[in-house]
Amino acid sequence: MATPSASALATLEAVVNSALTLIAQLETTIKTPPPTSSTPTTDKTVDKTTPDKPLDPLLLAHDAATLIKAHSTKISLLIINAPFTPSAITTVLRELLTQPLPALASAVQLCTPARYTHTISADLSWRCGRVLKELAELVSRIPKDGKILTDAKKNAGVGGAGEKGSIAATAVLWAACDDVVGFAKKGFAGNLVGKVEGWRDTLKDVMEELREWGEEEVDEEDEDEEDDDGVEEVTQGVEKATLEGTDSTQAMLDEWMSSQRHIPRDDPDKIRERLESCLRKLRLTTLLYQATVKRRLKILGQQPPEDSTVPGRLDEVMTLLKRIPDRFSNVALAFYELDPVDIDRLMDQCFFDAFALSELLFLRWDGQKDEFSDWALKFQVEIKKA
C-alpha cells in the first residue's frame, strides 16, 4: 500500500488548520448580536428567476446544513477506510470552506431580530452554532500522519471516559444538521407556533395539577392520625431543640406548619375560592393561547410581513406568551403553601399579563379588526370576572 506523499500530508494539515480557524471565526461571528434597529441588507441576486425576492435565511440555513452533512459523511468515511487519501480529504474540506460554511454564517447574519424577531434569530443562531461546534470536533479528528484512524479512535462512544470517536462525532454532527434542516422546514410561523403550543401545554399541565390538588381530601381518621403524628413529631423536635436554642425550635415549628399541603376543611383564608378563580383564569388563558396560534401566528406564513412593526410586536407577544406559564407555575406553588397573600399577588400578575397579551393581539398584523378582535373583548370581560 502506497504511503501518502509528504507534500500531500502537509497540504492536508494546512487545510485542516485553515478549516478549524475559519470555524472558530464563524462561531464568534454568529454569537455577535445582529442589528435590531434596522432592516438587514439582503442578497437579491441568489434567485435569478425572482431577482427582487429577498434571500430567505431559513432556506439558506437549510441548504448549508444539508451540504455540511453530506461533506461530513465523506470526511468520516475517508478517515476510517484504507487507503488513506489526503488529497480527497483536502478537496472535501476546501469545498466546505468555500460554500456551506460561509452560507451557514450568512444565514444567521441575515436572520436579524429586526426582520425575523429575537425568538427566531436566537434559535437559528444557536442551532447553527451547534453545527459549527460539532463540525470542528470531526475536523479535529482528521489524521495528519497518513494513516486511517485506529478502531479505538473510530469507535469510542459519546460520553465515554475519553474523547468520542469519529463515528460518534459524525452522528452528533448529523443530528445538529438535521436540527437546522427541521427548524428551517417549519418556517417562520411554524417555529413560533411550536413554541406557543409548548407553553400552552405547560398551562394545561399546571391547570390539571391544581385541579387534582384541590380535589385531594384527607379522611377525618387519617387527618387525626396525621395530627397526632405531627404533634408527636413536634414534641420530640421541641425537646431536642431546647438544647440548641429558641431559633432552631421556631424554625422547626415553621417547617412543620408549612408542610400542611391540603386545603383545611374550615378554609379560613378562602383558599378554595381562590383556587376556583385561578382555574377559571387558567382555562381562559389556555383558550387565548389556542386562539393566538390559529388567528395570529399560523397566518404569518414562511416569511414575516414586510411591515417593520410586526417583528417588534411579535417580540412583545412572545415575551408574554413565554412568561405567563411561569407566572401560573408560581401561583401553583403559592397554593401548595396555602399562602393567600402570595396567591393574590401572583394571580394579579397573571391577570395583567393575559390582559396585556389580548390587547397586543387585538388587531390583525395589518391593523384591521377581525373575529379574534371580537373574541378578545369577550375574553377580557370574562377574565375580569373569573
Side-chain angles (χ1 to χ4, degrees):
M1 185 180 298
T3 302
S5 66
S7 61
L9 289 175
T11 300
L12 173 61
E13 183 174 1
V15 175
V16 167
N17 291 336
S18 296
L20 292 173
T21 299
L22 177 61
I23 292 171
Q25 291 173 345
L26 294 179
E27 284 186 282
T28 301
T29 298
I30 67 174
K31 288 178 182 177
T32 303
T36 58
S37 59
S38 61
T39 302
T41 301
T42 55
D43 185 350
K44 297 184 179 182
T45 64
V46 174
D47 189 346
K48 295 181 180 180
T49 61
T50 55
D52 293 330
K53 184 179 179 180
L55 186 64
D56 182 348
L58 296 184
L59 180 59
L60 182 60
H62 173 286
D63 293 345
T66 301
L67 285 172
I68 289 172
K69 182 178 180 181
H71 283 70
S72 67
T73 302
K74 294 178 185 178
I75 293 173
S76 180
L77 292 173
L78 287 168
I79 62 178
I80 63 174
N81 290 301
F84 185 78
T85 51
S87 59
I89 300 173
T90 299
T91 299
V92 176
L93 280 175
R94 282 174 171 160
E95 290 173 353
L96 264 175
L97 295 176
T98 57
Q99 296 176 1
L101 283 180
L104 191 72
S106 294
V108 175
Q109 290 179 313
L110 288 170
C111 191
T112 63
R115 180 77 172 89
Y116 290 89
T117 75
H118 283 86
T119 299
I120 299 299
S121 178
D123 282 2
L124 180 63
S125 176
W126 180 83
R127 285 170 168 80
C128 291
R130 185 165 162 248
V131 169
L132 293 175
K133 175 180 178 295
E134 300 305 335
L135 178 61
E137 288 280 332
L138 178 61
V139 171
S140 67
R141 282 159 177 70
I142 295 175
K144 301 182 182 69
D145 59 0
K147 300 177 182 178
I148 62 172
L149 292 178
T150 63
D151 287 344
K153 291 183 177 180
K154 177 176 68 174
N155 297 321
V158 177
E163 290 185 339
K164 56 179 176 281
S166 66
I167 293 178
T170 303
V172 174
L173 174 55
W174 282 356
C177 291
D178 289 343
D179 192 24
V180 172
V181 170
F183 183 81
K185 283 183 176 179
K186 287 181 181 178
F188 177 71
N191 282 294
L192 294 178
V193 166
K195 281 185 172 292
V196 176
E197 287 179 339
W199 296 329
R200 179 204 60 198
D201 290 343
T202 300
L203 283 175
K204 288 183 176 180
D205 290 341
V206 173
M207 183 166 58
E208 185 61 27
E209 289 174 7
L210 277 173
R211 182 181 290 115
E212 291 178 358
W213 174 79
E215 292 172 353
E216 291 177 358
E217 292 185 0
V218 182
D219 294 336
E220 290 186 7
E221 292 183 3
D222 293 340
E223 189 175 37
D224 291 340
E225 289 178 4
E226 288 182 4
D227 288 344
D228 291 341
D229 292 342
V231 170
E232 182 179 355
E233 179 184 346
V234 172
T235 302
Q236 293 174 351
V238 169
E239 291 174 352
K240 180 180 179 181
T242 52
L243 300 176
E244 301 174 1
T246 305
D247 290 342
S248 61
T249 304
Q250 185 60 49
M252 187 272 301
L253 286 169
D254 291 343
E255 181 180 356
W256 178 76
M257 292 299 292
S258 65
S259 67
Q260 307 306 299
R261 294 174 56 86
H262 298 295
I263 300 175
R265 283 185 171 79
D266 56 349
D267 195 11
D269 294 319
K270 298 183 178 180
I271 299 296
R272 190 166 298 282
E273 180 181 317
R274 288 177 165 86
L275 177 61
E276 291 172 356
S277 174
C278 178
L279 290 173
R280 288 194 295 270
K281 285 183 169 65
L282 261 170
R283 178 179 173 277
L284 286 167
T285 305
T286 301
L287 292 175
L288 177 60
Y289 274 58
Q290 293 174 190
T292 298
V293 167
K294 182 178 180 181
R295 300 292 184 179
R296 289 293 179 262
L297 297 183
K298 285 187 175 180
I299 64 174
L300 287 169
Q302 290 294 102
Q303 290 268 8
E306 292 293 337
D307 184 354
S308 61
T309 65
V310 172
R313 185 176 160 198
L314 271 169
D315 276 327
E316 292 184 75
V317 167
M318 294 299 286
T319 297
L320 287 172
L321 287 166
K322 180 181 180 181
R323 188 168 67 194
I324 289 172
D326 292 335
R327 297 275 207 208
F328 274 109
S329 295
N330 291 334
V331 172
L333 293 176
F335 272 109
Y336 299 152
E337 295 295 329
L338 303 179
D339 187 335
V341 175
D342 259 4
I343 290 171
D344 291 343
R345 177 178 61 83
L346 295 169
M347 277 301 303
D348 283 344
Q349 293 177 357
C350 294
F351 166 75
F352 289 131
D353 278 356
F355 196 92
L357 178 61
S358 67
E359 282 287 300
L360 278 171
L361 295 168
F362 184 75
L363 298 176
R364 291 187 326 204
W365 305 115
D366 60 4
Q368 302 300 312
K369 291 184 179 180
D370 60 1
E371 292 179 4
F372 181 90
S373 305
D374 297 332
W375 183 88
L377 289 175
K378 296 176 183 177
F379 167 83
Q380 292 173 356
V381 171
E382 291 300 319
I383 201 167
K384 283 181 180 178
K385 295 191 303 184

